């Protein structure tokens, strides 16, 4: 049993995105011995590239599972081409408008109702709504990916979010009315774009220049987090999940009795420093190791060609590196990570990201 994992290059300029193709099983055998999965489709222009990649490198028109982790345009827009041009078995996607029971109680505006909020969610997340309509038109099974859900093989499993956590996040999605609860102004202030100053940073091996209290958006935290276990190897896909969501996924991993060891992890949100902190990285990967020591784990950040210093942050890359992880960033190019899979002609080995002892970055 092996796996073949592809991060397609997304973002010709500065806007990063995710488009991941994956197949696992007996990759030296026949198609029916394999499972093909797509996790996100990048921007609209990425969709055709993803379709061609599946045809060319996996030799099939059939995709068993397509996962839309969350409805941001850099993750969902390319999936329309996938559903239209390939034979898809299942679409895993959240349907927030179906989680509107008693939702109106969360808001100060007494004129809103559960039904009106459901319709608002359909309008605000129109791409997700239209993708589901397309899937149903094409006879594709639609499932909501909450904690514990698995694919037919039992190898692919959802670590988060739980349905209850997802419903906690919904009232704070962008475009929703003013909340009745207090304290949201502080969150808005943390996420507000400001003119950031660039300064020079000096890093020491093993020192995390990250904050355990970093905050990302509720929509990012609603991202589907999945794991694949093959040959006692664990692969974790995080999308744009933040610290709170990753902590809940770590709970699931720590409660797993498979004995599988982490061998791959996606660096969340293209390497943003608002998505990880020292404590959650210690839970998911382990504490920093001695310089030169390796844990035989690979981590990939999906980033655009010209997205630095925002994506990926050097402090984030360092945090993975000094935990013994081999760190790679796409920077607009495709990266393939394999185990017990056929070699590809013309593809070569990448050097790991160096440790950045000195770098320039934005202060905010």
């Amino acid at each position: 049993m092996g796996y073949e994992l592809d991060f397609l290059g997304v973002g010709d300029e500065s806007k990063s995105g995710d488009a991941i193709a994956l197949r696992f099983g007996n990759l030296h055998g026949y198609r029916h011995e394999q499972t093909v999965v797509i996790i996100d489709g990048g921007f609209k222009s990425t969709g055709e590239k993803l379709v061609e990649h599946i045809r060319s490198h996996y030799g099939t028109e059939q995709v068993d599972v397509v996962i839309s982790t969350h409805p941001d345009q850099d993750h969902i827009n390319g999936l329309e081409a996938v559903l239209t041009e390939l034979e898809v078995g299942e679409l895993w996607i959240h349907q927030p408008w179906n989680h509107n029971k008693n939702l109106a109680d969360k808001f100060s505006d007494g004129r809103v109702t559960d039904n009106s909020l459901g319709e608002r969610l359909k309008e605000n997340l129109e791409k997700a709504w239209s993708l589901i309509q397309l899937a149903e038109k094409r006879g594709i099974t639609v499932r909501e990916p909450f904690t514990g859900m698995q694919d037919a093989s039992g190898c692919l499993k959802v670590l988060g979010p739980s349905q209850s956590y997802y419903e906690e996040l919904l009232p704070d999605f962008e475009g929703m009315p003013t909340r009745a609860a207090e304290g949201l102004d502080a969150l808005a202030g943390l996420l507000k774009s400001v003119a950031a100053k660039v300064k020079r940073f000096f890093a020491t091996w093993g020192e995390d220049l990250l904050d355990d209290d970093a905050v990302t958006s509720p929509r990012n935290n609603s991202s589907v987090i999945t794991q694949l276990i093959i040959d006692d190897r664990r692969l974790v896909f995080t999308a744009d999940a933040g610290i709170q969501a990753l902590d809940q996924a770590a709970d699931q991993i720590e409660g797993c009795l498979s004995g599988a060891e982490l061998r791959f992890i996606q660096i969340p949100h293209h390497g943003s420093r608002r998505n990880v902190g020292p404590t959650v990285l210690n839970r998911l990967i382990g504490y920093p190791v001695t310089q030169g020591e390796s844990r035989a784990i690979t981590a990939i950040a999906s980033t655009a060609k010209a997205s630095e210093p925002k994506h990926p942050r050097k402090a984030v890359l360092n945090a993975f590196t000094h935990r013994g992880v081999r760190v790679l960033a796409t920077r607009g190019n495709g990266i393939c990570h394999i185990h017990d899979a056929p070699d590809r002609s013309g593809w070569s080995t990448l050097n790991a990201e160096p440790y950045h002892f000195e770098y320039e970055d934005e202060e905010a």
Side-chain angles (χ1 to χ4, degrees), residues 195-250:
K197 295 180 180 178
V198 174
K199 64 173 289 188
R200 185 165 294 277
F201 288 83
F202 298 90
T204 302
W205 181 273
E207 178 188 8
D208 288 308
L209 299 181
L210 297 171
D211 189 350
D212 275 334
D213 297 321
V215 177
T216 191
S217 71
R219 203 151 83 178
N220 283 344
N221 266 327
S222 77
S223 294
V224 182
I225 304 173
T226 49
Q227 75 169 9
L228 173 67
I229 294 181
I230 294 288
D231 284 352
D232 292 327
R233 294 166 172 254
R234 186 191 312 275
L235 290 74
V236 176
F237 303 90
T238 60
D240 285 359
I243 291 173
Q244 187 177 16
L246 292 170
D247 261 327
Q248 295 186 26

Side-chain angles (χ1 to χ4, degrees), residues 169-287:
L169 295 169
L170 268 182
D172 296 324
F173 270 32
E174 184 180 349
M176 295 297 275
T178 303
R179 282 268 270 177
E182 298 178 354
L184 295 181
D185 289 342
L187 173 61
L190 284 169
L191 298 178
K192 186 178 179 180
S193 295
V194 295
K197 295 180 180 178
V198 174
K199 64 173 289 188
R200 185 165 294 277
F201 288 83
F202 298 90
T204 302
W205 181 273
E207 178 188 8
D208 288 308
L209 299 181
L210 297 171
D211 189 350
D212 275 334
D213 297 321
V215 177
T216 191
S217 71
R219 203 151 83 178
N220 283 344
N221 266 327
S222 77
S223 294
V224 182
I225 304 173
T226 49
Q227 75 169 9
L228 173 67
I229 294 181
I230 294 288
D231 284 352
D232 292 327
R233 294 166 172 254
R234 186 191 312 275
L235 290 74
V236 176
F237 303 90
T238 60
D240 285 359
I243 291 173
Q244 187 177 16
L246 292 170
D247 261 327
Q248 295 186 26
D251 291 340
Q252 294 296 313
I253 292 173
E254 290 170 356
C256 180
L257 302 178
S258 70
E261 294 187 2
L262 183 68
R263 286 292 173 260
F264 171 84
I265 185 167
Q266 178 184 6
I267 298 177
H269 199 190
H270 324 297
S272 169
R273 68 181 177 202
R274 295 198 184 279
N275 290 67
V276 292
T279 301
V280 74
L281 287 178
N282 290 341
R283 294 187 67 195
L284 290 170
I285 300 171
Y287 287 84

Side-chain angles (χ1 to χ4, degrees), residues 43-165:
F43 297 102
K44 185 176 181 179
S45 61
T46 316
E48 293 293 341
K49 298 176 184 177
L50 193 51
V51 169
E52 181 56 31
H53 188 92
I54 295 292
R55 289 171 173 163
S56 299
H57 293 292
Y58 297 178
T60 184
E61 297 277 334
Q62 298 175 326
V63 177
D64 297 281
V65 178
V66 170
I67 303 174
S68 175
T69 63
H70 65 299
D72 283 355
Q73 65 173 357
D74 57 315
H75 292 253
I76 195 172
N77 282 7
L79 293 180
E80 182 178 348
V82 171
L83 267 59
T84 300
E85 299 187 33
L86 297 175
E87 300 172 26
V88 176
E90 296 183 357
L91 172 63
W92 294 9
I93 185 171
H94 292 135
Q95 302 180 58
W97 43 84
N98 290 340
H99 298 271
N100 60 336
K101 185 177 180 181
N102 299 324
L103 189 56
D105 295 343
K106 306 293 184 181
F107 301 100
S108 56
D109 188 346
R111 295 169 296 178
V112 300
T113 66
D114 290 348
N115 286 338
S116 69
L117 290 170
E119 292 303 313
R120 182 186 291 230
L121 285 164
K122 289 179 184 178
E123 294 173 4
N124 292 345
L125 306 174
E126 186 275 334
K127 181 55 69 173
W129 170 252
S130 64
L131 198 65
I132 291 169
Q133 302 310 299
L134 174 61
E136 292 177 345
K137 181 180 179 180
R138 293 183 57 81
I140 299 168
T141 300
V142 178
R143 303 175 67 191
E144 280 204 278
F146 293 119
T147 302
M149 194 172 92
Q150 298 182 350
D151 76 325
S153 74
C155 298
L156 188 70
K157 181 180 179 180
V158 176
L159 298 179
S162 66
Q163 182 172 330
S164 59
Y165 179 55

Side-chain angles (χ1 to χ4, degrees), residues 10 13-17 210 266-276 299-321 327-332 335 353-354 356 359-362:
V10 179
E13 299 301 330
S14 61
K15 293 183 178 179
S16 302
L210 297 171
Q266 178 184 6
I267 298 177
H269 199 190
H270 324 297
S272 169
R273 68 181 177 202
R274 295 198 184 279
N275 290 67
V276 292
I300 298 177
S302 182
T303 65
K305 287 182 180 179
S307 59
E308 295 184 81
K310 183 178 180 181
H311 295 150
R313 296 286 193 175
K314 299 299 191 296
V316 173
L317 299 181
N318 280 354
F320 281 82
T321 300
V327 174
L328 304 170
T330 62
R331 295 189 173 92
I335 294 179
E353 190 79 16
H356 300 278
Y359 57 91
E360 289 188 347
D361 201 351
E362 296 176 352

